[in-house]
Amino acid sequence: GNSVTQMEGPVTLSEEAFLTINCTYTATGYPSLFWYVQYPGEGLQLLLKATKADDKGSNKGFEATYRKETTSFHLEKGSVQVSDSAVYFCALSKRGSYIPTFGRGTSLIVHP
Amino acid sequence: DTAVSQTPKYLVTQMGNDKSIKCEQNLGHDTMYWYKQDSKKFLKIMFSYNNKELIINETVPNRFSPKSPDKAHLNLHINSLELGDSAVYFCASSQSVSGGDYGYTFGSGTRLTVV
């Protein structure tokens, strides 16, 4: 079946540091890949997505590239802010599969 | 206009009680979901409806019963509440049954505390 594996957190960084959160997936064919962000006390919000190999999704300074050869979709940001502190979820969806597939979430804590 | 709205936001109740959580989406999506998020932030899919038809019914106690009166509404009724039911419950919707290329839109959650 489909699965998503994320690095365990928490990831703790100082403001303006470089961020990478690793995500790898298992799925046949060509799933669509997503990153969601959950701020404290809120629901998940779609952060960015990529629907085919080599696509780069980007939003709010975050980027992720769909790498078919390594089955990865790592989230990056060049300079994090305190306001980026949240839990980040990697996810995939695939036509024909009714079950949404989410990773376990990675908590990011950014200190001033 | 809130895209996916759920009520109540907080629910504190005693063991053994019966409670309901309501969800409505105004996005015109065909598919709606209930998720349970535990204290470690793990998301577990519980149910999904597509155009009022149940399509996902994961392994959850039969004390949990979803109901979809129309494709814009999905409610969750829980009987005989137990301490272990304490969690945050999220409603979500998507354009199609597999999420498609647009992903999912989530509500802001209902924090259920059973005492």
Side-chain angles (χ1 to χ4, degrees), chain A residues 32 34 36 38 41-44 46 49 51 87 89 92-100 102 104, chain B residues 9 33 35 37 40-43 45 55-56 58 90 97-104 106-108:
Chain A
S32 296
F34 306 86
Y36 290 83
Q38 183 180 23
E42 298 183 12
L44 281 71
L46 180 62
K49 66 178 182 181
T51 58
V87 180
F89 292 87
L92 70 82
S93 69
K94 189 169 179 300
R95 283 194 179 86
S97 171
Y98 287 2
I99 307 290
F102 282 82
R104 296 187 67 94
Chain B
K9 188 167 176 65
Y33 308 81
Y35 285 85
Q37 186 176 49
K40 295 186 177 181
K41 303 298 185 184
F42 177 65
L43 274 174
I45 181 76
I55 57 170
I56 297 175
E58 290 292 278
F90 286 102
V97 295
S98 57
D101 292 343
Y102 299 96
Y104 308 93
F106 283 80
S108 58

mmCIF file of all heavy atoms in Angstrom, chain A residues 32 34 36 38 41-44 46 49 51 87 89 92-100 102 104, chain B residues 9 33 35 37 40-43 45 55-56 58 90 97-104 106-108:
data_model
loop_
_atom_site.group_PDB
_atom_site.id
_atom_site.type_symbol
_atom_site.label_atom_id
_atom_site.label_comp_id
_atom_site.label_asym_id
_atom_site.label_seq_id
_atom_site.Cartn_x
_atom_site.Cartn_y
_atom_site.Cartn_z
ATOM 1 N N SER A 32 0.266 12.388 -6.343
ATOM 2 C CA SER A 32 0.455 13.811 -6.077
ATOM 3 C C SER A 32 0.979 13.932 -4.652
ATOM 4 O O SER A 32 0.583 13.178 -3.766
ATOM 5 C CB SER A 32 -0.869 14.574 -6.213
ATOM 6 O OG SER A 32 -1.331 14.512 -7.543
ATOM 7 N N PHE A 34 2.113 16.445 -1.231
ATOM 8 C CA PHE A 34 1.683 17.660 -0.546
ATOM 9 C C PHE A 34 2.475 17.849 0.746
ATOM 10 O O PHE A 34 2.929 16.892 1.370
ATOM 11 C CB PHE A 34 0.204 17.561 -0.150
ATOM 12 C CG PHE A 34 -0.727 17.245 -1.282
ATOM 13 C CD1 PHE A 34 -0.962 15.935 -1.663
ATOM 14 C CD2 PHE A 34 -1.378 18.258 -1.957
ATOM 15 C CE1 PHE A 34 -1.821 15.628 -2.706
ATOM 16 C CE2 PHE A 34 -2.241 17.970 -3.003
ATOM 17 C CZ PHE A 34 -2.459 16.651 -3.377
ATOM 18 N N TYR A 36 1.504 19.905 4.314
ATOM 19 C CA TYR A 36 0.527 20.655 5.088
ATOM 20 C C TYR A 36 1.216 21.207 6.337
ATOM 21 O O TYR A 36 2.167 20.607 6.846
ATOM 22 C CB TYR A 36 -0.623 19.750 5.543
ATOM 23 C CG TYR A 36 -1.534 19.299 4.436
ATOM 24 C CD1 TYR A 36 -1.199 18.208 3.636
ATOM 25 C CD2 TYR A 36 -2.742 19.945 4.194
ATOM 26 C CE1 TYR A 36 -2.041 17.791 2.616
ATOM 27 C CE2 TYR A 36 -3.591 19.534 3.175
ATOM 28 C CZ TYR A 36 -3.229 18.459 2.396
ATOM 29 O OH TYR A 36 -4.067 18.043 1.378
ATOM 30 N N GLN A 38 0.361 22.733 10.315
ATOM 31 C CA GLN A 38 -0.632 22.881 11.384
ATOM 32 C C GLN A 38 -0.047 23.788 12.453
ATOM 33 O O GLN A 38 0.863 23.390 13.187
ATOM 34 C CB GLN A 38 -1.005 21.520 11.978
ATOM 35 C CG GLN A 38 -2.089 21.607 13.038
ATOM 36 C CD GLN A 38 -2.455 20.265 13.635
ATOM 37 O OE1 GLN A 38 -1.672 19.315 13.612
ATOM 38 N NE2 GLN A 38 -3.665 20.160 14.170
ATOM 39 N N GLY A 41 -3.228 24.898 17.766
ATOM 40 C CA GLY A 41 -4.649 25.138 17.977
ATOM 41 C C GLY A 41 -5.468 25.250 16.706
ATOM 42 O O GLY A 41 -6.647 25.593 16.759
ATOM 43 N N GLU A 42 -4.845 24.949 15.565
ATOM 44 C CA GLU A 42 -5.567 25.088 14.304
ATOM 45 C C GLU A 42 -5.613 23.765 13.531
ATOM 46 O O GLU A 42 -4.971 22.790 13.913
ATOM 47 C CB GLU A 42 -4.906 26.159 13.437
ATOM 48 C CG GLU A 42 -4.923 27.541 14.065
ATOM 49 C CD GLU A 42 -4.320 28.593 13.145
ATOM 50 O OE1 GLU A 42 -4.092 28.319 11.956
ATOM 51 O OE2 GLU A 42 -4.070 29.710 13.643
ATOM 52 N N GLY A 43 -6.376 23.768 12.438
ATOM 53 C CA GLY A 43 -6.402 22.621 11.552
ATOM 54 C C GLY A 43 -5.243 22.657 10.576
ATOM 55 O O GLY A 43 -4.448 23.603 10.551
ATOM 56 N N LEU A 44 -5.118 21.605 9.776
ATOM 57 C CA LEU A 44 -4.057 21.554 8.780
ATOM 58 C C LEU A 44 -4.404 22.476 7.611
ATOM 59 O O LEU A 44 -5.560 22.561 7.188
ATOM 60 C CB LEU A 44 -3.888 20.127 8.242
ATOM 61 C CG LEU A 44 -3.107 19.140 9.102
ATOM 62 C CD1 LEU A 44 -3.892 18.733 10.338
ATOM 63 C CD2 LEU A 44 -2.733 17.904 8.279
ATOM 64 N N LEU A 46 -3.045 23.492 3.617
ATOM 65 C CA LEU A 46 -2.176 23.102 2.519
ATOM 66 C C LEU A 46 -1.088 24.152 2.355
ATOM 67 O O LEU A 46 -1.367 25.338 2.198
ATOM 68 C CB LEU A 46 -2.985 22.972 1.234
ATOM 69 C CG LEU A 46 -2.214 22.558 -0.010
ATOM 70 C CD1 LEU A 46 -1.601 21.179 0.168
ATOM 71 C CD2 LEU A 46 -3.125 22.582 -1.226
ATOM 72 N N LYS A 49 2.287 21.927 -3.040
ATOM 73 C CA LYS A 49 2.030 20.621 -3.647
ATOM 74 C C LYS A 49 2.817 20.487 -4.938
ATOM 75 O O LYS A 49 3.284 21.476 -5.508
ATOM 76 C CB LYS A 49 0.541 20.461 -3.939
ATOM 77 C CG LYS A 49 0.040 21.429 -5.009
ATOM 78 C CD LYS A 49 -1.430 21.217 -5.317
ATOM 79 C CE LYS A 49 -1.871 22.180 -6.425
ATOM 80 N NZ LYS A 49 -3.293 22.037 -6.768
ATOM 81 N N THR A 51 2.442 17.776 -8.492
ATOM 82 C CA THR A 51 1.597 16.718 -9.043
ATOM 83 C C THR A 51 2.313 15.816 -10.038
ATOM 84 O O THR A 51 1.744 14.810 -10.463
ATOM 85 C CB THR A 51 0.347 17.311 -9.705
ATOM 86 O OG1 THR A 51 0.770 18.221 -10.727
ATOM 87 C CG2 THR A 51 -0.497 18.059 -8.694
ATOM 88 N N VAL A 87 3.600 22.186 13.194
ATOM 89 C CA VAL A 87 3.810 20.784 12.823
ATOM 90 C C VAL A 87 3.584 20.668 11.317
ATOM 91 O O VAL A 87 2.595 21.185 10.788
ATOM 92 C CB VAL A 87 2.852 19.840 13.580
ATOM 93 C CG1 VAL A 87 3.094 18.395 13.170
ATOM 94 C CG2 VAL A 87 3.035 20.008 15.087
ATOM 95 N N PHE A 89 3.221 18.237 7.915
ATOM 96 C CA PHE A 89 2.813 16.901 7.481
ATOM 97 C C PHE A 89 3.078 16.744 5.982
ATOM 98 O O PHE A 89 2.635 17.573 5.178
ATOM 99 C CB PHE A 89 1.317 16.675 7.723
ATOM 100 C CG PHE A 89 0.912 16.605 9.164
ATOM 101 C CD1 PHE A 89 0.601 17.765 9.877
ATOM 102 C CD2 PHE A 89 0.837 15.387 9.818
ATOM 103 C CE1 PHE A 89 0.226 17.704 11.200
ATOM 104 C CE2 PHE A 89 0.454 15.317 11.144
ATOM 105 C CZ PHE A 89 0.155 16.475 11.835
ATOM 106 N N LEU A 92 0.401 12.179 0.503
ATOM 107 C CA LEU A 92 0.240 11.873 -0.909
ATOM 108 C C LEU A 92 -1.200 11.478 -1.200
ATOM 109 O O LEU A 92 -1.925 11.015 -0.315
ATOM 110 C CB LEU A 92 1.200 10.765 -1.358
ATOM 111 C CG LEU A 92 1.015 9.325 -0.891
ATOM 112 C CD1 LEU A 92 -0.033 8.574 -1.732
ATOM 113 C CD2 LEU A 92 2.331 8.563 -1.011
ATOM 114 N N SER A 93 -1.603 11.693 -2.437
ATOM 115 C CA SER A 93 -2.884 11.181 -2.887
ATOM 116 C C SER A 93 -2.671 10.538 -4.253
ATOM 117 O O SER A 93 -1.777 10.926 -5.007
ATOM 118 C CB SER A 93 -3.940 12.286 -2.969
ATOM 119 O OG SER A 93 -3.639 13.180 -4.010
ATOM 120 N N LYS A 94 -3.480 9.539 -4.522
ATOM 121 C CA LYS A 94 -3.287 8.766 -5.745
ATOM 122 C C LYS A 94 -4.649 8.348 -6.264
ATOM 123 O O LYS A 94 -5.475 7.832 -5.509
ATOM 124 C CB LYS A 94 -2.421 7.543 -5.437
ATOM 125 C CG LYS A 94 -1.972 6.772 -6.653
ATOM 126 C CD LYS A 94 -0.907 5.765 -6.272
ATOM 127 C CE LYS A 94 -0.481 4.990 -7.502
ATOM 128 N NZ LYS A 94 -1.569 4.249 -8.138
ATOM 129 N N ARG A 95 -4.848 8.593 -7.549
ATOM 130 C CA ARG A 95 -6.124 8.207 -8.161
ATOM 131 C C ARG A 95 -6.347 6.716 -7.958
ATOM 132 O O ARG A 95 -5.438 5.905 -8.122
ATOM 133 C CB ARG A 95 -6.110 8.531 -9.647
ATOM 134 C CG ARG A 95 -6.310 9.992 -9.921
ATOM 135 C CD ARG A 95 -6.629 10.256 -11.379
ATOM 136 N NE ARG A 95 -6.840 11.676 -11.598
ATOM 137 C CZ ARG A 95 -5.879 12.546 -11.847
ATOM 138 N NH1 ARG A 95 -4.637 12.143 -11.912
ATOM 139 N NH2 ARG A 95 -6.161 13.831 -12.037
ATOM 140 N N GLY A 96 -7.540 6.362 -7.585
ATOM 141 C CA GLY A 96 -7.888 4.969 -7.374
ATOM 142 C C GLY A 96 -7.724 4.523 -5.944
ATOM 143 O O GLY A 96 -8.169 3.433 -5.577
ATOM 144 N N SER A 97 -7.073 5.346 -5.123
ATOM 145 C CA SER A 97 -6.905 4.994 -3.715
ATOM 146 C C SER A 97 -7.798 5.884 -2.879
ATOM 147 O O SER A 97 -7.671 7.103 -2.914
ATOM 148 C CB SER A 97 -5.452 5.163 -3.276
ATOM 149 O OG SER A 97 -5.351 5.020 -1.873
ATOM 150 N N TYR A 98 -8.685 5.297 -2.137
ATOM 151 C CA TYR A 98 -9.599 6.081 -1.307
ATOM 152 C C TYR A 98 -8.971 6.547 -0.012
ATOM 153 O O TYR A 98 -9.472 7.461 0.628
ATOM 154 C CB TYR A 98 -10.838 5.243 -0.967
ATOM 155 C CG TYR A 98 -11.801 5.024 -2.107
ATOM 156 C CD1 TYR A 98 -11.545 5.524 -3.375
ATOM 157 C CD2 TYR A 98 -12.973 4.325 -1.918
ATOM 158 C CE1 TYR A 98 -12.425 5.319 -4.417
ATOM 159 C CE2 TYR A 98 -13.864 4.119 -2.943
ATOM 160 C CZ TYR A 98 -13.590 4.617 -4.189
ATOM 161 O OH TYR A 98 -14.481 4.418 -5.211
ATOM 162 N N ILE A 99 -7.889 5.907 0.406
ATOM 163 C CA ILE A 99 -7.315 6.182 1.723
ATOM 164 C C ILE A 99 -6.292 7.306 1.614
ATOM 165 O O ILE A 99 -5.264 7.141 0.958
ATOM 166 C CB ILE A 99 -6.634 4.941 2.309
ATOM 167 C CG1 ILE A 99 -7.590 3.747 2.318
ATOM 168 C CG2 ILE A 99 -6.106 5.240 3.699
ATOM 169 C CD1 ILE A 99 -8.717 3.875 3.298
ATOM 170 N N PRO A 100 -6.565 8.454 2.240
ATOM 171 C CA PRO A 100 -5.543 9.510 2.251
ATOM 172 C C PRO A 100 -4.330 9.038 3.033
ATOM 173 O O PRO A 100 -4.472 8.331 4.022
ATOM 174 C CB PRO A 100 -6.243 10.664 2.987
ATOM 175 C CG PRO A 100 -7.688 10.308 3.022
ATOM 176 C CD PRO A 100 -7.761 8.828 2.988
ATOM 177 N N PHE A 102 -1.020 10.207 5.063
ATOM 178 C CA PHE A 102 -0.272 11.284 5.717
ATOM 179 C C PHE A 102 0.916 10.700 6.475
ATOM 180 O O PHE A 102 0.833 9.583 7.006
ATOM 181 C CB PHE A 102 -1.157 12.025 6.724
ATOM 182 C CG PHE A 102 -2.118 12.995 6.107
ATOM 183 C CD1 PHE A 102 -3.316 12.555 5.587
ATOM 184 C CD2 PHE A 102 -1.813 14.342 6.039
ATOM 185 C CE1 PHE A 102 -4.216 13.445 5.003
ATOM 186 C CE2 PHE A 102 -2.692 15.244 5.462
ATOM 187 C CZ PHE A 102 -3.894 14.796 4.944
ATOM 188 N N ARG A 104 3.579 11.109 9.810
ATOM 189 C CA ARG A 104 3.248 11.262 11.220
ATOM 190 C C ARG A 104 3.433 12.695 11.731
ATOM 191 O O ARG A 104 3.152 12.981 12.880
ATOM 192 C CB ARG A 104 4.091 10.308 12.056
ATOM 193 C CG ARG A 104 3.806 8.842 11.765
ATOM 194 C CD ARG A 104 4.536 7.942 12.730
ATOM 195 N NE ARG A 104 4.005 8.088 14.075
ATOM 196 C CZ ARG A 104 3.056 7.310 14.595
ATOM 197 N NH1 ARG A 104 2.524 6.357 13.881
ATOM 198 N NH2 ARG A 104 2.630 7.503 15.835
ATOM 199 N N LYS B 9 -16.118 23.804 18.929
ATOM 200 C CA LYS B 9 -14.661 23.821 18.901
ATOM 201 C C LYS B 9 -14.095 23.075 20.103
ATOM 202 O O LYS B 9 -13.049 22.440 20.024
ATOM 203 C CB LYS B 9 -14.150 25.263 18.877
ATOM 204 C CG LYS B 9 -12.656 25.372 18.649
ATOM 205 C CD LYS B 9 -12.253 26.782 18.316
ATOM 206 C CE LYS B 9 -10.731 26.903 18.173
ATOM 207 N NZ LYS B 9 -10.244 26.120 17.029
ATOM 208 N N TYR B 33 -14.468 13.839 5.192
ATOM 209 C CA TYR B 33 -13.730 12.894 6.020
ATOM 210 C C TYR B 33 -13.835 13.287 7.498
ATOM 211 O O TYR B 33 -13.983 14.460 7.835
ATOM 212 C CB TYR B 33 -12.233 12.917 5.675
ATOM 213 C CG TYR B 33 -11.898 12.757 4.221
ATOM 214 C CD1 TYR B 33 -11.966 13.839 3.341
ATOM 215 C CD2 TYR B 33 -11.473 11.537 3.716
ATOM 216 C CE1 TYR B 33 -11.646 13.695 2.008
ATOM 217 C CE2 TYR B 33 -11.142 11.384 2.375
ATOM 218 C CZ TYR B 33 -11.230 12.471 1.527
ATOM 219 O OH TYR B 33 -10.909 12.328 0.197
ATOM 220 N N TYR B 35 -11.202 12.698 10.773
ATOM 221 C CA TYR B 35 -9.920 12.247 11.262
ATOM 222 C C TYR B 35 -9.887 12.405 12.782
ATOM 223 O O TYR B 35 -10.497 13.322 13.338
ATOM 224 C CB TYR B 35 -8.781 13.116 10.713
ATOM 225 C CG TYR B 35 -8.419 12.901 9.286
ATOM 226 C CD1 TYR B 35 -9.101 13.561 8.267
ATOM 227 C CD2 TYR B 35 -7.374 12.059 8.934
ATOM 228 C CE1 TYR B 35 -8.756 13.376 6.951
ATOM 229 C CE2 TYR B 35 -7.020 11.871 7.613
ATOM 230 C CZ TYR B 35 -7.718 12.538 6.632
ATOM 231 O OH TYR B 35 -7.367 12.356 5.319
ATOM 232 N N GLN B 37 -6.969 13.042 15.737
ATOM 233 C CA GLN B 37 -5.558 13.364 15.975
ATOM 234 C C GLN B 37 -5.259 13.173 17.447
ATOM 235 O O GLN B 37 -5.872 13.794 18.312
ATOM 236 C CB GLN B 37 -5.238 14.799 15.547
ATOM 237 C CG GLN B 37 -3.742 15.117 15.633
ATOM 238 C CD GLN B 37 -3.400 16.498 15.131
ATOM 239 O OE1 GLN B 37 -4.018 17.488 15.506
ATOM 240 N NE2 GLN B 37 -2.401 16.580 14.254
ATOM 241 N N LYS B 40 0.109 13.008 20.145
ATOM 242 C CA LYS B 40 1.396 13.065 19.439
ATOM 243 C C LYS B 40 1.233 13.576 18.012
ATOM 244 O O LYS B 40 2.139 13.473 17.207
ATOM 245 C CB LYS B 40 2.050 11.678 19.424
ATOM 246 C CG LYS B 40 2.429 11.200 20.811
ATOM 247 C CD LYS B 40 3.196 9.902 20.764
ATOM 248 C CE LYS B 40 3.617 9.488 22.176
ATOM 249 N NZ LYS B 40 4.382 8.232 22.195
ATOM 250 N N LYS B 41 0.054 14.098 17.711
ATOM 251 C CA LYS B 41 -0.249 14.717 16.415
ATOM 252 C C LYS B 41 -0.456 13.697 15.297
ATOM 253 O O LYS B 41 -0.563 14.085 14.141
ATOM 254 C CB LYS B 41 0.836 15.723 15.986
ATOM 255 C CG LYS B 41 1.076 16.822 16.977
ATOM 256 C CD LYS B 41 -0.160 17.667 17.172
ATOM 257 C CE LYS B 41 0.110 18.857 18.077
ATOM 258 N NZ LYS B 41 -1.123 19.640 18.341
ATOM 259 N N PHE B 42 -0.522 12.413 15.623
ATOM 260 C CA PHE B 42 -0.757 11.410 14.588
ATOM 261 C C PHE B 42 -2.193 11.504 14.108
ATOM 262 O O PHE B 42 -3.127 11.524 14.903
ATOM 263 C CB PHE B 42 -0.469 10.013 15.135
ATOM 264 C CG PHE B 42 -0.752 8.925 14.160
ATOM 265 C CD1 PHE B 42 -0.015 8.822 12.984
ATOM 266 C CD2 PHE B 42 -1.753 7.996 14.391
ATOM 267 C CE1 PHE B 42 -0.262 7.817 12.071
ATOM 268 C CE2 PHE B 42 -2.014 6.986 13.479
ATOM 269 C CZ PHE B 42 -1.271 6.901 12.314
ATOM 270 N N LEU B 43 -2.357 11.549 12.783
ATOM 271 C CA LEU B 43 -3.679 11.658 12.170
ATOM 272 C C LEU B 43 -4.167 10.280 11.753
ATOM 273 O O LEU B 43 -3.494 9.593 10.995
ATOM 274 C CB LEU B 43 -3.609 12.522 10.918
ATOM 275 C CG LEU B 43 -3.736 14.023 11.036
ATOM 276 C CD1 LEU B 43 -3.487 14.649 9.683
ATOM 277 C CD2 LEU B 43 -5.103 14.423 11.560
ATOM 278 N N ILE B 45 -7.335 8.364 9.870
ATOM 279 C CA ILE B 45 -8.593 8.478 9.137
ATOM 280 C C ILE B 45 -9.623 7.569 9.799
ATOM 281 O O ILE B 45 -9.322 6.446 10.191
ATOM 282 C CB ILE B 45 -8.399 8.108 7.645
ATOM 283 C CG1 ILE B 45 -9.710 8.253 6.869
ATOM 284 C CG2 ILE B 45 -7.842 6.719 7.469
ATOM 285 C CD1 ILE B 45 -10.086 9.666 6.562
ATOM 286 N N ILE B 55 -17.575 5.495 2.042
ATOM 287 C CA ILE B 55 -16.566 4.813 1.238
ATOM 288 C C ILE B 55 -15.353 4.384 2.054
ATOM 289 O O ILE B 55 -14.588 3.532 1.617
ATOM 290 C CB ILE B 55 -16.109 5.665 0.037
ATOM 291 C CG1 ILE B 55 -15.558 7.022 0.497
ATOM 292 C CG2 ILE B 55 -17.244 5.846 -0.947
ATOM 293 C CD1 ILE B 55 -14.868 7.800 -0.616
ATOM 294 N N ILE B 56 -15.122 4.995 3.177
ATOM 295 C CA ILE B 56 -14.053 4.563 4.071
ATOM 296 C C ILE B 56 -14.656 4.369 5.450
ATOM 297 O O ILE B 56 -15.320 5.250 5.974
ATOM 298 C CB ILE B 56 -12.901 5.593 4.174
ATOM 299 C CG1 ILE B 56 -12.226 5.788 2.835
ATOM 300 C CG2 ILE B 56 -11.882 5.155 5.224
ATOM 301 C CD1 ILE B 56 -11.171 6.894 2.855
ATOM 302 N N GLU B 58 -12.811 2.909 8.592
ATOM 303 C CA GLU B 58 -11.655 2.287 9.195
ATOM 304 C C GLU B 58 -12.018 1.636 10.522
ATOM 305 O O GLU B 58 -13.143 1.754 11.010
ATOM 306 C CB GLU B 58 -10.540 3.326 9.392
ATOM 307 C CG GLU B 58 -9.917 3.776 8.087
ATOM 308 C CD GLU B 58 -9.133 2.682 7.400
ATOM 309 O OE1 GLU B 58 -7.968 2.443 7.763
ATOM 310 O OE2 GLU B 58 -9.685 2.045 6.480
ATOM 311 N N PHE B 90 -10.929 16.150 13.449
ATOM 312 C CA PHE B 90 -10.938 17.067 12.309
ATOM 313 C C PHE B 90 -11.859 16.557 11.220
ATOM 314 O O PHE B 90 -11.835 15.372 10.869
ATOM 315 C CB PHE B 90 -9.536 17.215 11.707
ATOM 316 C CG PHE B 90 -8.604 18.037 12.527
ATOM 317 C CD1 PHE B 90 -7.641 17.434 13.309
ATOM 318 C CD2 PHE B 90 -8.690 19.417 12.521
ATOM 319 C CE1 PHE B 90 -6.765 18.199 14.076
ATOM 320 C CE2 PHE B 90 -7.823 20.191 13.287
ATOM 321 C CZ PHE B 90 -6.866 19.564 14.058
ATOM 322 N N VAL B 97 -12.602 11.505 -4.491
ATOM 323 C CA VAL B 97 -12.433 10.502 -3.440
ATOM 324 C C VAL B 97 -10.985 10.244 -3.097
ATOM 325 O O VAL B 97 -10.672 9.827 -1.998
ATOM 326 C CB VAL B 97 -13.106 9.162 -3.826
ATOM 327 C CG1 VAL B 97 -14.594 9.339 -3.929
ATOM 328 C CG2 VAL B 97 -12.543 8.614 -5.120
ATOM 329 N N SER B 98 -10.068 10.482 -4.011
ATOM 330 C CA SER B 98 -8.673 10.207 -3.701
ATOM 331 C C SER B 98 -7.910 11.480 -3.386
ATOM 332 O O SER B 98 -6.693 11.472 -3.324
ATOM 333 C CB SER B 98 -8.013 9.480 -4.875
ATOM 334 O OG SER B 98 -8.135 10.255 -6.052
ATOM 335 N N GLY B 99 -8.634 12.576 -3.208
ATOM 336 C CA GLY B 99 -7.970 13.845 -2.922
ATOM 337 C C GLY B 99 -7.579 14.572 -4.186
ATOM 338 O O GLY B 99 -7.601 15.796 -4.226
ATOM 339 N N GLY B 100 -7.211 13.797 -5.198
ATOM 340 C CA GLY B 100 -6.871 14.406 -6.475
ATOM 341 C C GLY B 100 -5.642 15.290 -6.395
ATOM 342 O O GLY B 100 -4.785 15.115 -5.529
ATOM 343 N N ASP B 101 -5.577 16.249 -7.286
ATOM 344 C CA ASP B 101 -4.423 17.132 -7.349
ATOM 345 C C ASP B 101 -4.558 18.354 -6.449
ATOM 346 O O ASP B 101 -3.657 19.176 -6.396
ATOM 347 C CB ASP B 101 -4.212 17.606 -8.784
ATOM 348 C CG ASP B 101 -3.780 16.468 -9.698
ATOM 349 O OD1 ASP B 101 -3.342 15.419 -9.179
ATOM 350 O OD2 ASP B 101 -3.894 16.631 -10.921
ATOM 351 N N TYR B 102 -5.652 18.473 -5.753
ATOM 352 C CA TYR B 102 -5.899 19.671 -4.958
ATOM 353 C C TYR B 102 -5.831 19.426 -3.458
ATOM 354 O O TYR B 102 -5.913 20.351 -2.670
ATOM 355 C CB TYR B 102 -7.252 20.280 -5.333
ATOM 356 C CG TYR B 102 -7.301 20.688 -6.779
ATOM 357 C CD1 TYR B 102 -7.849 19.857 -7.740
ATOM 358 C CD2 TYR B 102 -6.753 21.899 -7.192
ATOM 359 C CE1 TYR B 102 -7.867 20.220 -9.069
ATOM 360 C CE2 TYR B 102 -6.760 22.265 -8.514
ATOM 361 C CZ TYR B 102 -7.320 21.421 -9.453
ATOM 362 O OH TYR B 102 -7.336 21.785 -10.772
ATOM 363 N N GLY B 103 -5.676 18.187 -3.060
ATOM 364 C CA GLY B 103 -5.511 17.900 -1.641
ATOM 365 C C GLY B 103 -6.800 18.038 -0.857
ATOM 366 O O GLY B 103 -7.903 17.961 -1.402
ATOM 367 N N TYR B 104 -6.630 18.265 0.420
ATOM 368 C CA TYR B 104 -7.739 18.282 1.355
ATOM 369 C C TYR B 104 -7.836 19.639 2.040
ATOM 370 O O TYR B 104 -6.836 20.287 2.299
ATOM 371 C CB TYR B 104 -7.547 17.195 2.426
ATOM 372 C CG TYR B 104 -7.284 15.835 1.828
ATOM 373 C CD1 TYR B 104 -5.987 15.392 1.619
ATOM 374 C CD2 TYR B 104 -8.328 15.007 1.445
ATOM 375 C CE1 TYR B 104 -5.739 14.169 1.043
ATOM 376 C CE2 TYR B 104 -8.086 13.776 0.869
ATOM 377 C CZ TYR B 104 -6.782 13.361 0.662
ATOM 378 O OH TYR B 104 -6.540 12.146 0.083
ATOM 379 N N PHE B 106 -9.156 21.272 5.561
ATOM 380 C CA PHE B 106 -9.492 20.842 6.911
ATOM 381 C C PHE B 106 -10.267 21.913 7.666
ATOM 382 O O PHE B 106 -10.067 23.114 7.454
ATOM 383 C CB PHE B 106 -8.206 20.542 7.709
ATOM 384 C CG PHE B 106 -7.580 19.229 7.371
ATOM 385 C CD1 PHE B 106 -6.797 19.094 6.231
ATOM 386 C CD2 PHE B 106 -7.764 18.131 8.190
ATOM 387 C CE1 PHE B 106 -6.215 17.874 5.916
ATOM 388 C CE2 PHE B 106 -7.186 16.910 7.882
ATOM 389 C CZ PHE B 106 -6.407 16.774 6.744
ATOM 390 N N GLY B 107 -11.134 21.449 8.572
ATOM 391 C CA GLY B 107 -11.734 22.347 9.545
ATOM 392 C C GLY B 107 -10.734 22.652 10.650
ATOM 393 O O GLY B 107 -9.615 22.121 10.658
ATOM 394 N N SER B 108 -11.141 23.467 11.589
ATOM 395 C CA SER B 108 -10.226 23.903 12.648
ATOM 396 C C SER B 108 -10.193 22.949 13.826
ATOM 397 O O SER B 108 -9.421 23.144 14.755
ATOM 398 C CB SER B 108 -10.593 25.307 13.114
ATOM 399 O OG SER B 108 -11.929 25.318 13.581
#
